[in-house]
Amino acid sequence: MSLETFANSKALTLGVELELQIVGTHDYDLTPAAGDLMRLMKGRRIPGDVKPEITTGMIEMATGICIGHQQVLAELREIRDQLVACARRLDVGLCGGGTHPFQDWSRRRIYDTPRFHEISTLYGYLSKQFTIFGQHVHVGCTGPDQALVLLHGLGRYIPHLIALAASSPFVQGTDTGFDSARLNSVFAFPLSGRAPFLLRWDEFEVYFAKMTRTGVVKSMKDFYWDIRPKPEFGTIEVRVLDTPLTVEKAAALAAFIQCLARWLEIERPFGLAEDDYLPYTFNRFQACRFGLEATYVDPTSGEHRVLRDDLRATLARLEPHAIDLRADEALAYLRAEIEGPGNDAAWIRALQQQEHLLPEVVRQQTLRWRG
């Protein structure tokens, strides 16, 4: 199977996808209501779309093609409000969070589509364990070579994005000690991790042809990389973010990625090399485990820094680009979290320490999601 032609796309446009938890309002466990929600949403006019996910206690909402932060936020709020209205009719709740804190994966049901059944047949129990919830951000690129350059440039900021978005400290009723336990489930898949270091699309086409010839992959969907090209959209797709607890946080994270992309494309602050990936796995683990307090190893200098401090410096560098993109409000939102209460994982842990009851934590997550 040949690789799709890289579509025409306007530079730095955004598209945001959010995977949401569907929970019962009696016990706040996941409930298999995706099909009913899809039925009620059918025919409603929204700026993006709503789709099922691999198991029936999940649903995905997605914006259309957006210019910047304010449009992303407006579209997410509109879709959220429509989904919440439909959920109320079914007496179910919706919430963010990268993992449901106490659901039992073995009780999940695969949503009835050919692709989801194919995944289930291939990956076995991992498919139901993939009942985890992430935010994906697409960034428009003017061409395929530019997409690969941007992909690898953003690679050094994967730990920053993981720590900012982390919202999955609990799994099956246990505090994992991780801020983002969700990504441990992603790492179990054989084609996860980082993309190969290729900077020209013709080289990437050769790589893709070799992979399809082995029969290991059939399309780009079979790669679960942290960032992957999406040639049919003309974008790269950042995939490491846990679903935040609010649409405001989701829009701010998308704007942060847009500002990073503009800074990398205009200022070219560093060169790209395969050796940039030497500390990649360490940095990614640290961000998942310790969040904003992680140790970050600079790929160029080898200097060790606290990730929170490196984020402060990064946000300062991005300020002129945020102003030009009208995203300064989004960066201020993230800066306030860094200097104040911390990420969503910290909020979830603090609430559990107060309530000592995970269903109550989920109930309050549904209230936050409704805004």
Side-chain angles (χ1 to χ4, degrees):
M1 182 179 292
S2 61
L3 191 58
E4 293 135 312
T5 302
F6 200 88
N8 292 324
S9 181
K10 186 176 179 181
L12 301 178
T13 49
L14 293 172
V16 176
E17 301 162 352
L18 296 173
E19 296 162 343
L20 304 178
Q21 305 179 35
I22 309 171
V23 298
T25 53
H26 60 295
D27 61 0
Y28 289 93
D29 198 356
L30 292 178
T31 191
D36 291 333
L37 261 179
M38 292 292 298
R39 177 177 54 80
L40 289 181
M41 285 294 294
K42 190 174 181 180
R44 289 192 175 226
R45 297 185 65 182
I46 55 174
D49 65 358
V50 172
K51 296 181 288 191
E53 261 298 335
I54 189 163
T55 59
T56 55
M58 313 172 64
I59 200 161
E60 179 184 285
M61 57 182 276
T63 69
I65 300 171
C66 298
I67 300 301
H69 172 246
Q70 288 302 322
Q71 186 181 357
V72 169
L73 181 56
E75 293 197 5
L76 288 177
R77 281 174 169 164
E78 185 175 348
I79 302 166
R80 177 211 47 201
D81 291 348
Q82 295 271 22
L83 268 171
V84 165
C86 291
R88 279 179 172 151
R89 288 181 60 187
L90 296 170
D91 196 23
V92 299
L94 298 170
C95 65
T99 55
H100 184 280
F102 62 89
Q103 65 101 6
D104 180 350
W105 64 265
S106 66
R107 297 173 59 192
R108 305 284 67 88
R109 304 177 194 169
I110 301 297
Y111 196 94
D112 188 15
T113 71
R115 174 164 172 77
F116 292 151
H117 285 301
E118 182 182 347
I119 292 172
S120 179
T121 300
L122 176 61
Y123 291 113
Y125 83 104
L126 290 178
S127 306
K128 291 185 177 181
Q129 286 202 336
F130 211 46
T131 305
I132 52 177
F133 309 87
Q135 172 178 353
H136 301 165
V137 177
H138 292 262
V139 183
C141 302
T142 55
D145 289 354
Q146 293 89 335
L148 292 175
V149 169
L150 179 58
L151 183 158
H152 293 293
L154 285 172
R156 12 176 115 198
Y157 294 95
I158 287 299
H160 305 65
L161 295 170
I162 290 171
L164 282 172
S167 63
S168 52
F170 288 91
V171 173
Q172 296 200 26
T174 300
D175 188 334
T176 63
F178 282 70
D179 273 18
S180 178
R182 164 187 163 267
L183 282 172
N184 293 327
S185 296
V186 179
F187 297 161
F189 284 77
L191 297 173
S192 62
R194 47 158 287 203
F197 186 71
L198 302 168
L199 297 176
R200 297 207 330 259
W201 194 250
D202 57 353
E203 295 174 340
F204 188 84
E205 287 178 319
V206 170
Y207 166 82
F208 184 83
K210 289 179 179 178
M211 290 297 289
T212 54
R213 201 156 50 239
T214 66
V216 173
V217 299
K218 296 179 181 177
S219 74
M220 284 301 303
K221 287 184 178 181
D222 295 320
F223 294 111
Y224 291 89
W225 295 331
D226 295 342
I227 314 177
R228 69 183 179 190
K230 289 291 282 184
E232 67 269 36
F233 295 155
T235 66
I236 58 167
E237 180 188 14
V238 180
R239 299 169 48 82
V240 294
L241 307 168
D242 286 358
T243 297
L245 301 183
T246 66
V247 293
E248 289 75 19
K249 175 75 174 284
L253 289 166
F256 177 59
I257 291 171
Q258 186 186 42
C259 292
L260 277 172
R262 188 176 193 266
W263 174 62
L264 291 169
E265 289 192 349
I266 292 177
E267 298 191 29
R268 300 185 181 274
F270 48 81
L272 299 176
E274 175 69 47
D275 283 358
D276 292 346
Y277 286 101
L278 292 175
Y280 185 85
T281 303
F282 174 86
N283 283 340
R284 188 174 57 175
F285 168 80
Q286 281 279 316
C288 290
R289 176 69 174 85
F290 300 109
L292 297 169
E293 301 308 318
T295 298
Y296 175 70
V297 180
D298 185 288
T300 302
S301 67
E303 180 186 355
H304 288 217
R305 296 190 285 271
V306 176
L307 188 54
R308 187 190 299 268
D309 294 336
D310 203 75
L311 264 167
R312 289 188 182 110
T314 301
L315 288 169
R317 293 186 198 103
L318 296 181
E319 195 62 39
H321 299 279
I323 292 169
D324 289 344
L325 291 168
R326 299 183 180 179
D328 43 328
E329 179 184 328
L331 266 58
Y333 181 106
L334 298 176
R335 190 178 295 109
E337 278 203 349
I338 292 168
E339 304 299 345
N343 58 25
D344 286 343
W347 183 91
I348 292 169
R349 278 200 175 99
L351 187 58
Q352 171 62 1
Q353 288 172 4
Q354 174 185 316
E355 301 291 344
H356 304 286
L357 189 64
L358 287 172
E360 174 59 17
V361 172
V362 178
R363 187 187 75 84
Q364 293 200 36
Q365 286 179 219
T366 67
L367 298 179
R368 285 198 70 182
W369 180 256
R370 291 199 324 235

